Amino acid sequence: MAGDDVKKSDANASGGVKRKEVKKETGLGLTNCKDDNFGEWYSEVVVNGELIEYYDISGCYILRPWAMSIWETMQKFFDVEIKKMNIQNCYFPLFVSPGVLQKEKDHVEGFAPEVAWVTKTGDSDLEVPIAIRPTSETVMYPYYSKWIRGHRDLPLKLNQWCNVVRWEFSNPTPFIRSREFLWQEGHTAFATKEEADAEVLDILELYRQIYEEYLAVPVVKGKKSELEKFAGGLYTTSVEAFISNNGRGIQGATSHCLGQNFAKMFEINFENEKGQKGMVWQNSWAYSTRTIGVMVMVHGDDKGLVLPPKVATVQVIIIPVPYKDADTRGIFDACASAVDILSGAGIRAKADFRDNYSPGWKYSHWEMKGVPLRIEIGPKDLANSQVRVVRRDNSLKIDISRTNLVEHVKEMLNNIQHNLFDVAKQKRDACVKTIRTWDEFVEALSQKKLILAPWCDEEEVEKGVKARTKGEMGAAKSLCSPFDQPELPEGTKCFASGKPAKKWTYWGRSY
């Protein structure tokens, strides 16, 4: 890539061809500040950072290569890990027959408002409308019933990378709430509950790794309440993130134990080693392109995106800074050499040799796109056999020798990855408020806190919390009960009901 750019620019670098006039571009910056108008800032940064483009159907978005590259990095990691667990990839159709969709009552009721239907072909009405999958339990499980007969057919562990459609009518938001999105969905069947329980947590740990080790976003692992669990499932676990700027929790990914409910509905039975009939235990689990939106919300700033190095399409952008009468060819050659050296070491590096933009414009452009490191090479750098390196996360500038370029760059990228996580965790932790009474809860909610409260774990009490906190900002709800439970002293009362508390649970407003 760099070689092609060099060839295009060589003619301009030599004195033989008249240089193009440098464009005086304006308007690169964002018009909204993250702290002042978070929603407008987010809508602006995902477009200006070239992650998405708005489509002519509301709630649908074009994912541009900058976003798809991030998705593919996560996909590559996750796909390798689930294959280590003997989970195989497959693909099931997009369309669902009404009879199959409606077979599991609780499940279909949970998704009914979001289901899109195909009702016509050409000018003719279909005799039977066909649903577009909002999720694939009812698509896949009739065939699990066909494929599973005996204990030797278990476990059956499948995953598919696909799109789903959920016709959101309220506040579509790129990556966060869209009518069509990409995800993976795993669907597994086991002979025993113990096997299913173990896999639920194994998958949840992979989701934690995606968020914390790739996206540098801190999350809490925990269990959803009965009210918030997956429709038709036995229990739901999740990783929960928190957006400190607007005080909202966000469900990052979910890993569900479905129990035997779907097995009963779809007659997924097997014969065990003793010749006895039994029903399988099932799980389903998924993460989606929502991950990208969470990353943007947590790390982005008023200059644009801030990408963690592990998922950045371009980890290092190299910009030549040729002043008047400078050795332009020497500078361009040094930039091209740096790209080759870094790329040879496995670092995703690129040089921006465009001659119709000024270096300053390029700085702003690549800051908007969130590239973790910028390398500048000018006449002084060329003379001193050095480069200037600028970090995107904290704007730190440092001059380093070209001799040890790879070692320095690798160390800086590693430091950026860790720093982004540390800063995000500090911000998240500063928003956590432990409360014990309703009045403290209401005050913490008004301060946009992530609230940790003792709870009696009763569904009606949670419904009451939602009803009592309804307003323009949206009602509060339980986010998850963390697996890492603080000590609950004997006699502790539920913050909402005054009944004996059974656990600590995170509460707040959420997406």
Side-chain angles (χ1 to χ4, degrees):
M1 191 187 311
D4 292 339
D5 291 335
V6 171
K7 289 173 186 174
K8 291 175 185 176
S9 301
D10 276 346
N12 297 310
S14 66
V17 178
K18 185 178 178 182
R19 292 186 64 162
K20 292 181 182 177
E21 183 181 347
V22 174
K23 289 184 179 179
K24 291 185 178 179
E25 293 283 354
T26 57
L28 252 186
L30 300 173
T31 58
N32 292 282
C33 293
K34 188 177 184 180
D35 290 338
D36 296 341
N37 192 337
F38 183 80
E40 292 299 320
W41 167 86
Y42 177 77
S43 296
E44 195 177 7
V45 78
V46 293
V47 173
N48 288 19
E50 299 181 3
L51 290 175
I52 66 114
E53 188 60 73
Y54 283 88
Y55 194 57
D56 63 357
I57 296 174
S58 176
C60 297
Y61 309 96
I62 300 164
L63 300 188
R64 299 185 66 178
W66 208 244
M68 283 303 298
S69 175
I70 296 169
W71 179 245
E72 287 167 352
T73 297
M74 294 185 286
Q75 183 182 36
K76 184 177 180 181
F77 159 76
F78 191 77
D79 204 57
V80 167
E81 293 301 317
I82 62 173
K83 283 173 180 171
K84 291 177 186 175
M85 299 167 64
N86 296 315
I87 295 164
Q88 297 176 298
N89 284 326
C90 64
Y91 185 79
F92 278 73
L94 175 68
F95 302 111
V96 195
S97 66
V100 171
L101 184 66
Q102 294 165 5
K103 199 160 188 175
E104 210 296 313
K105 183 184 175 185
D106 290 338
H107 181 71
V108 72
E109 284 181 359
F111 283 101
E114 301 175 345
V115 176
W117 294 87
V118 179
T119 59
K120 294 176 75 74
T121 173
D123 295 327
S124 305
D125 292 333
L126 292 178
E127 281 188 32
V128 179
I130 297 171
I132 300 175
R133 63 175 169 225
T135 180
S136 295
E137 281 76 9
T138 56
V139 179
M140 299 171 79
Y141 296 166
Y143 300 92
Y144 280 42
S145 175
K146 180 179 180 180
W147 297 337
I148 297 171
R149 287 287 180 262
H151 63 91
R152 294 180 184 85
D153 300 321
L154 294 171
L156 177 59
K157 301 194 281 188
L158 301 180
N159 174 70
Q160 66 173 356
W161 297 92
C162 62
N163 62 337
V164 289
V165 173
R166 295 181 184 177
W167 210 253
E168 301 275 2
F169 284 97
S170 60
N171 303 318
T173 304
F175 296 115
I176 304 300
R177 299 186 74 85
S178 55
R179 288 177 171 172
E180 179 192 9
F181 55 88
L182 302 181
W183 75 349
Q184 61 70 217
E185 52 176 323
H187 296 271
T188 53
F190 300 91
T192 66
K193 183 175 184 293
E194 289 74 21
E195 291 174 282
D197 288 338
E199 188 203 59
V200 165
L201 298 182
D202 288 342
I203 293 294
L204 197 68
E205 171 57 18
L206 293 181
Y207 292 152
R208 182 204 66 78
Q209 290 178 42
I210 285 173
Y211 273 97
E212 296 196 341
E213 297 177 18
Y214 279 78
L215 301 176
V217 172
V219 291
V220 174
K221 293 200 293 187
K223 186 178 180 181
K224 288 287 192 181
S225 69
E226 285 296 300
L227 197 61
E228 293 295 327
K229 75 178 183 181
F230 182 71
L234 181 62
Y235 65 85
T236 291
T237 67
S238 67
V239 289
E240 301 285 331
F242 186 74
I243 311 302
S244 59
N245 289 80
N246 63 2
R248 290 188 180 273
I250 185 161
Q251 180 177 283
T254 49
S255 183
H256 317 285
C257 179
L258 302 179
Q260 295 181 306
N261 192 28
F262 286 89
K264 183 178 180 181
M265 293 297 107
F266 290 95
E267 299 180 0
I268 311 175
N269 303 312
F270 72 102
E271 191 175 273
N272 66 18
E273 296 93 328
K274 298 178 182 178
Q276 300 166 328
K277 286 283 187 181
M279 285 190 298
V280 300
W281 292 84
Q282 291 178 268
N283 293 338
S284 69
W285 28 269
Y287 81 94
S288 75
T289 40
R290 168 178 279 202
T291 48
I292 299 173
V294 176
M295 175 199 70
V296 173
M297 289 181 166
V298 170
H299 299 309
D301 62 20
D302 290 344
K303 292 181 181 180
L305 303 174
V306 180
L307 300 181
K310 272 195 172 183
V311 296
T313 310
V314 176
Q315 295 172 314
V316 181
I317 186 67
I318 300 170
I319 298 176
V321 190
Y323 299 132
K324 189 177 180 181
D325 301 325
D327 179 6
T328 305
R329 179 177 292 281
I331 292 171
F332 276 43
D333 288 345
C335 290
S337 174
V339 170
D340 291 341
I341 291 168
L342 294 174
S343 298
I347 296 166
R348 297 187 289 277
K350 176 180 178 178
D352 188 342
F353 290 117
R354 292 175 292 176
D355 57 7
N356 58 334
Y357 294 106
S358 68
W361 188 93
K362 294 176 184 178
Y363 297 166
S364 298
H365 173 73
W366 294 107
E367 283 177 343
M368 180 69 72
K369 289 171 71 75
V371 174
L373 272 183
R374 181 174 81 238
I375 288 179
E376 305 165 9
I377 301 179
K380 288 183 180 179
D381 304 303
L382 190 64
N384 296 326
S385 192
Q386 66 181 29
V387 300
R388 169 155 289 190
V389 185
V390 185
R391 284 174 55 159
R392 177 65 182 87
D393 62 325
N394 60 13
S395 301
L396 179 69
K397 298 180 180 180
I398 185 172
D399 294 330
I400 61 175
S401 168
R402 282 159 59 187
T403 306
N404 300 315
L405 184 62
V406 169
E407 292 78 4
H408 283 299
V409 167
K410 281 187 174 180
E411 182 181 6
M412 293 183 79
L413 291 173
N414 187 55
N415 289 341
I416 292 169
Q417 184 78 30
H418 289 291
N419 185 60
L420 284 172
F421 178 79
D422 291 342
V423 169
K425 189 172 186 302
Q426 288 166 12
K427 287 182 181 178
R428 194 275 311 270
D429 291 350
C431 292
V432 176
K433 181 72 173 178
T434 302
I435 63 96
R436 287 174 173 77
T437 68
W438 179 256
D439 288 344
E440 291 175 345
F441 178 83
V442 171
E443 182 181 0
L445 193 63
S446 70
Q447 296 170 350
K448 300 181 180 179
K449 298 294 186 182
L450 174 58
I451 303 166
L452 184 61
W455 181 39
C456 61
D457 196 18
E458 292 185 11
E459 194 170 318
E460 289 306 312
V461 173
E462 182 173 3
K463 288 179 180 177
V465 171
K466 281 188 173 184
R468 293 160 74 184
T469 56
K470 261 187 178 175
E472 288 184 11
M473 297 286 290
K477 66 178 184 180
S478 71
L479 303 175
C480 76
S481 297
F483 293 141
D484 187 10
Q485 283 277 312
E487 183 183 354
L488 187 67
E490 190 174 343
T492 301
K493 303 293 185 183
C494 170
F495 79 100
S497 68
K499 298 177 181 180
K502 295 180 180 178
K503 60 170 74 170
W504 290 95
T505 299
Y506 280 107
W507 297 77
R509 293 191 174 94
S510 73
Y511 280 95

